[in-house]
Amino acid sequence: MAAMKKLLIIVAFGTIAALAAGLWITRPLTVNTEQVASLSGSAADGEWVFHLGSCASCHATPGGDKTVLAGGREFTTGFGTFVAPNISSSPAHGLGAWSQADFFNAMRHGTSPQGTHYFPAFPYASYTRMSDTDIANLWAYMATLPASDAPTQPHRLTFPFNLRATVGVWKALYLRTAFVGPGEDTERGRYLAEAIGHCAECHTPRSALGGLQNNRWMAGAPDPSGKGKVPGITPAQLDWSEADIAYYLETGFTPDFDSAGGGMAAVIEGTSRLPATDRAAIAAYVKALPPAQ
Amino acid sequence: MKLLLVLSLSAIVATATSVSAGGHGGNPAVTARKAHMQLYQHNLMILGNMARGNTEYDTAAAQAAADNLVSLSTLSQAGYWIPGTTNAELGDETRLLPAVFEADSTARQIGADLAAASVALAAVAGTGPEAVGPALGPVGAACTACHRAYRVSDN
C-alpha cells in the first residue's frame, strides 16, 4: 500500500512537472525590448513592405478603402471561422496604443501585447523571417494609415482549436526562422517570397495540424477559401520562363494572357509596386525551387 | 470591324451551343461567356506579346486588337450573364461565383472601367510598342479586379 501511495505521488509530480515543462516550452515568446526600441523605421520605406505583405487583403474591410485596416473579413477553415481583427491606427480598437516592441512580438513570435498566442491564420510563421529594418519600416508606415473604430469581432473556432494555449504546441512544431527554399544566387528573391510575400502560406500544402509541409514546398494546395485550388509553382507544375513570371508579377497576365484572380490578385497589387529587379529576383527564386509534388 | 467581331463571337457561341445541344451537355450561357473571354484573351495576347518584345510590333495588328477590345467591352452581354448559371448551380462547369449577381456586386463598374481602359489603349495602340505596355496596365487591372471578386480561384 505504501509503495502504491509512493508511486501515485511520483506519477502526480511527474505529470505536474511535465505539464509545467510543456507550458514553459510553448509559452508565448517576446523580443528583446531594448534592442527593438532603438530601431527607427521609415514610413516611406514601409509602404512597399505593406503592399507586398498583402496586409490590406485580409485586414481592410471587404469592398472598403484598402488603407483602412478595420478588419471584419471572415476566413472559413476546417478549424472554424477566423475574423480579421482591426489593425488600424485606432488606439482603442486597433494598434494605435501598441509599442514598436508589441508589433515586433506579433510579427516575430505571434505573441499579443497581452502575452497570448495569436492564431497562425495571421502568417507570422513567414513574417518571422523579416528583417528588423523591414518590420520597423512597416510599423512606421502603418502608423500613418487612418484609424477605424470598428470593434474587432471574435473568431468562431471549434474545440480544441479555440484554445490559444494549443497554438504554443503548433509553434513548437512549425514556427521556424530558417528559410526553406534555395538561397544560393536567389537570396533576395527567397527573402521577398518566403518572408514578406509569405507565398508558401497558400502555395504549400499543410498537415492535419495546419503546419506547412516543407518537403512539398510550393507544390500547390487547396485554396484557403475552400473553393478552388492554389497551384504549385515548382518546376514540376510551372514551366513559365523567368521573364514570364516577372511579367505576371508586374501585370497579372499569364503567358497566354489570362489574368490573375482570387487571392493572387491581391499579391499582384503588391508585386506590381516592386522594382523590376525585385520581381526578377522572385522569378529567379521560383525557377530555382526543387520540383515537388 | 465590330460587325466582324460580333459575327465571330456568334459563330463560336453557335458552334459551341450546337455541340452542347448535341448531347455533350453544357450551359449555353457558360459557353457564351467563355467564348467572350477567349476573344479578350486572344486580343490581349497580340498586344501583350508586342509590348514584351516577344513578337514584332505591327501598327495595324496592334490597332485592330485594341479596337477589338473596345468592341468586346462594349457589347451587350446581358444574355449570358444570368443568375442561376454560377459555380453554385453548375459546379465545375463554370468558375463564376454567385457574388457577381448580388446587390453589392461591382461587376458593372468593373465592366465600365474595362471599357474606359480599352478606349485609352486603342488611342495609343498604333503609336508604338512603348505605349502599349503601360496602356495595358489598366485593362489588366480591370480583368484582375473581376477575377479576384467573382471567379473561383486557381491562380
Side-chain angles (χ1 to χ4, degrees), chain B residues 12 23-26 28-29 41 55 58 62 66 72 77-79 89 91 94 97 101 108 115 118 129-130 138 152:
Chain B
I12 293 171
H24 293 278
Q41 193 172 344
T55 56
D58 178 300
L72 285 165
Q77 302 171 46
E89 297 87 12
T94 176
L97 291 168
F101 298 117
R108 283 185 188 281
S118 299
E130 301 80 13
V152 174

Side-chain angles (χ1 to χ4, degrees), chain A residues 216-232:
Chain A
R216 299 175 67 197
W217 193 247
M218 307 285 195
D223 190 272
S225 70
K227 281 210 167 242
K229 62 183 187 300
V230 180

